[in-house]
Amino acid sequence: MSEDHTHVQEFFGARAADWDRRFPGDGPAFTTAVTEFGLRPGDRVLDAGCGTGRAMTALRAAVGPAGTVLGVDLTPQMLAAARQAGRDAEGALLLADVARLPLRDEVLDAVFAAGLIAHLPDPGANLHELARVVRPGGALALFHPIGRAALAARHGRELTPDDMRAEHNLGPLLTGSGWDMTSYADDDDRFLALAVRHP
């Protein structure tokens, strides 16, 4: 799926209208992840691959009225569902590719990415692009509301040692793309890896 943007758009576009109804219990996990992310009032944060904008309410609460929340997604139907849910009240929604963000260098304080990394066509280059738009010392959160094993079981597959999100693979991938991983959690009820942009 990750190699073809058209396929990604078709996959998520067909599911956008029902996405929130399919995963109704994920809200608290998003809120907890954003809380642990450690955003501060006034921060400028990107929700990369924001989908229906499920993180945007928590991100807005974390950065406050003086902060900036920007949601970016490749799939128009996902952004339409976010608007229908009223999440555009929490921040700006932009149709764009996270592999080529229409943002200046070092303009953000943080990037929150839920369920994104598995859909990146070139994870190293794409994570480097996320680093480009974040100031030195800024933060990255790679999140999923369930852990790797639970997600694999949901999709009827086995976890393998070459899973990109395994700690022994993700750490070097982040380091090579401008980030230093600072914490890693892979539990049944969530996946959360935090990183800081190299100075």
Side-chain angles (χ1 to χ4, degrees), residues 1-5 7-8 117-123 126 164:
M1 179 185 307
S2 63
E3 296 174 4
D4 183 351
H5 282 351
H7 188 64
V8 170
I117 192 167
H119 303 291
L120 295 175
D122 184 346
N126 303 152
M164 177 175 41

Side-chain angles (χ1 to χ4, degrees), residues 22 146-160 165:
R22 289 180 64 199
I146 60 174
R148 291 186 310 122
L151 186 61
R154 177 186 287 176
H155 293 295
R157 60 177 175 77
E158 297 285 329
L159 277 180
T160 61
R165 289 163 291 187

Side-chain angles (χ1 to χ4, degrees), residues 1 8 22 55 59 65 69 79 83 106 111 121 130 168 185 187:
M1 179 185 307
V8 170
R22 289 180 64 199
L59 292 171
V69 178
L79 294 175
R83 289 186 184 96
E106 301 181 5
V111 175
L130 294 179
H168 64 271
D187 307 314

Side-chain angles (χ1 to χ4, degrees), residues 46 48-49 72-74 96-101 116 120 126 129-130:
L46 171 67
V72 167
D73 203 273
L74 188 64
D97 184 351
V98 298
R100 292 180 300 279
L101 290 165
L116 176 71
L120 295 175
N126 303 152
E129 172 66 356
L130 294 179

Side-chain angles (χ1 to χ4, degrees), residues 2-198:
S2 63
E3 296 174 4
D4 183 351
H5 282 351
T6 302
H7 188 64
V8 170
Q9 287 176 313
E10 289 174 354
F11 178 87
F12 286 106
R15 291 160 176 79
D18 295 324
W19 193 260
D20 288 359
R21 286 192 290 274
R22 289 180 64 199
F23 307 107
D26 287 351
F30 274 83
T31 300
T32 299
V34 170
T35 299
E36 291 184 31
F37 193 21
L39 295 169
R40 296 166 299 187
D43 275 353
R44 299 155 298 172
V45 60
L46 171 67
D47 187 355
C50 66
T52 62
R54 293 185 295 168
M56 290 188 72
T57 299
L59 292 171
R60 170 56 65 197
V63 303
T68 299
V69 178
L70 174 63
V72 167
D73 203 273
L74 188 64
T75 306
Q77 297 94 325
M78 281 288 192
L79 294 175
R83 289 186 184 96
Q84 187 172 11
R87 293 175 180 139
D88 53 337
E90 309 295 352
L93 294 171
L94 179 65
L95 181 66
D97 184 351
V98 298
R100 292 180 300 279
L101 290 165
L103 298 172
R104 297 190 314 273
D105 293 355
E106 301 181 5
V107 71
L108 300 172
D109 298 296
V111 175
F112 185 87
L116 176 71
I117 192 167
H119 303 291
L120 295 175
D122 184 346
N126 303 152
L127 288 167
H128 189 270
E129 172 66 356
L130 294 179
R132 178 187 69 80
V133 299
V134 173
R135 63 171 174 78
L140 171 70
L142 300 175
F143 168 72
H144 199 284
I146 60 174
R148 291 186 310 122
L151 186 61
R154 177 186 287 176
H155 293 295
R157 60 177 175 77
E158 297 285 329
L159 277 180
T160 61
D162 63 348
D163 183 342
M164 177 175 41
R165 289 163 291 187
E167 187 172 9
H168 64 271
N169 295 325
L170 185 59
L173 176 63
L174 286 166
T175 299
S177 54
W179 303 94
D180 291 314
M181 190 159 67
T182 57
S183 70
Y184 181 92
D186 182 21
D187 307 314
D188 283 344
D189 58 350
R190 64 118 182 223
F191 174 89
L192 182 63
L194 301 180
V196 173
R197 187 186 180 281
H198 296 329

